[in-house]
Amino acid sequence: MSTSPLVEVHGLKKQFGPTIVLRGIDLVQGRGECVALIGPSGCGKSTFLRCLNQLETHDAGRVRISSLTLPAGETLPGGTLQQLRQTAGMVFQQFHLFPHRTALENVMEGPLQVLGTPLADATALAHGLLAKVGLSDRAHFRPSQLSGGQQQRVAIARALAMQPEILLLDEPTSALDPELREEVRDVLVRLGDEGMTMIVVTHDMDLARRLADRVLFFADGVVAESGSPEEMFTAAKTDRAREFLRRVRA
Ligand SMILES: Nc1ncnc2c1ncn2[C@@H]1O[C@H](COP(=O)(O)OP(=O)(O)OP(=O)(O)O)[C@@H](O)[C@H]1O
Ligand SMILES: [Mg+2]
């Protein structure tokens, strides 16, 4: 396996019309490393994540994920874009499951439709992934018959079914009642322990603390501070980060 970083971002910039959101983001991330992005609402965390799998195109800066280089200002051509989306799987706050399909069918969809996996193999893979996220007994339930925490675990299994090299998670626990957050945190922490590479945008400091090897604090369109969870949560150096952490804990 390659020892070069899985993700290399240098000087990523993004604006919407006159609004400059990201002024030059740098991130070098190794395989197996988990990074948490924290920071005030509207500071561009989701935008950054979305640039990494081209739900948005960045305006300037160098971005490489695995073997794919993302051009500034343009979307990759179809086949390569599909490869990027497969390499960098996305998990959203609102789950985005297919409502009329069962948990099993949601997980099988990508392998069947995109990867051309034979039905028997896709079924076996999906059962295995549902077991991994603790939902073997819910395989034939539709999203409306599942709790938020269960739906999010199906969404994680669905992302894993594409065998991504990295998972990008945008506030995976934010839509959940507090008592359902822990089951999603547990699944993500276990994936991290197994070596999955992840970038998680979160306001859930318990998740950041448990999952991340490194925490990046975004403010004013830059990475204003970064460090281990221990450093960030007990000894943040900048006033900005200290103030933010004080408020989110209050
Ligand atoms: N498609 C878009 N068009 C115009 N402006 C946008 C668009 N997407 C995001 N923005 C703006 O970019 C800024 C950053 O938004 P973003 O969603 O990345 O913030 P965030 O850090 O994820 O915030 P939150 O913590 O509330 O989710 C905001 O000012 C937002 O209004
Ligand atoms: Mg956001």
Side-chain angles (χ1 to χ4, degrees), residues 95-160:
F95 328 133
H96 293 198
L97 296 173
F98 297 112
H100 300 300
R101 305 231 168 102
T102 65
L104 191 74
E105 289 165 347
N106 267 281
V107 179
M108 290 167 63
E109 179 76 13
L112 282 179
Q113 300 300 328
V114 180
L115 304 181
T117 307
L119 181 64
D121 294 351
T123 308
L125 172 73
H127 275 299
L129 288 170
L130 288 175
K132 193 182 182 71
V133 300
L135 289 174
S136 290
D137 58 341
R138 296 290 187 274
H140 302 294
F141 286 49
R142 283 199 296 276
S144 62
Q145 300 168 313
L146 297 170
S147 72
Q150 291 169 340
Q151 290 182 61
Q152 190 59 297
R153 286 184 284 150
V154 174
I156 292 165
R158 182 183 56 179
L160 292 174

Side-chain angles (χ1 to χ4, degrees), residues 38-52:
I38 64 171
S41 185
C43 70
K45 304 179 297 297
S46 296
T47 300
F48 177 69
L49 211 60
R50 292 164 62 81
C51 284
L52 296 184

Side-chain angles (χ1 to χ4, degrees), residues 21 41 49 84 88 111 182-183 186 249:
V21 178
S41 185
L49 211 60
L84 173 66
E182 195 67 8
E183 62 191 37
D186 288 345
R249 281 177 183 147

Side-chain angles (χ1 to χ4, degrees), residues 15-17 19-22 39-50 56 93 170-171 201 203 218:
Q15 64 189 84
F16 294 104
T19 311
I20 300 173
V21 178
L22 300 171
S41 185
C43 70
K45 304 179 297 297
S46 296
T47 300
F48 177 69
L49 211 60
R50 292 164 62 81
E56 303 285 355
Q93 180 176 356
D170 196 353
E171 302 204 30
V201 166
H203 291 279
F218 274 42

Side-chain angles (χ1 to χ4, degrees), residues 39 47 99-100 167 187 234:
T47 300
H100 300 300
L167 279 186
V187 163
T234 61

Side-chain angles (χ1 to χ4, degrees), residues 36-38 202-212 214-217 225-237 241-242 244-246 248-249:
L37 307 183
I38 64 171
T202 193
H203 291 279
D204 178 347
M205 296 303 137
D206 291 335
L207 176 64
R209 189 188 282 276
R210 286 184 61 194
L211 183 67
R214 185 154 46 119
V215 178
L216 268 50
F217 173 68
E225 185 167 349
S226 68
S228 68
E230 180 68 16
E231 287 165 344
M232 288 296 286
F233 294 129
T234 61
K237 294 181 197 70
R242 275 200 301 274
F244 170 77
L245 288 165
R246 196 180 55 70
V248 293
R249 281 177 183 147

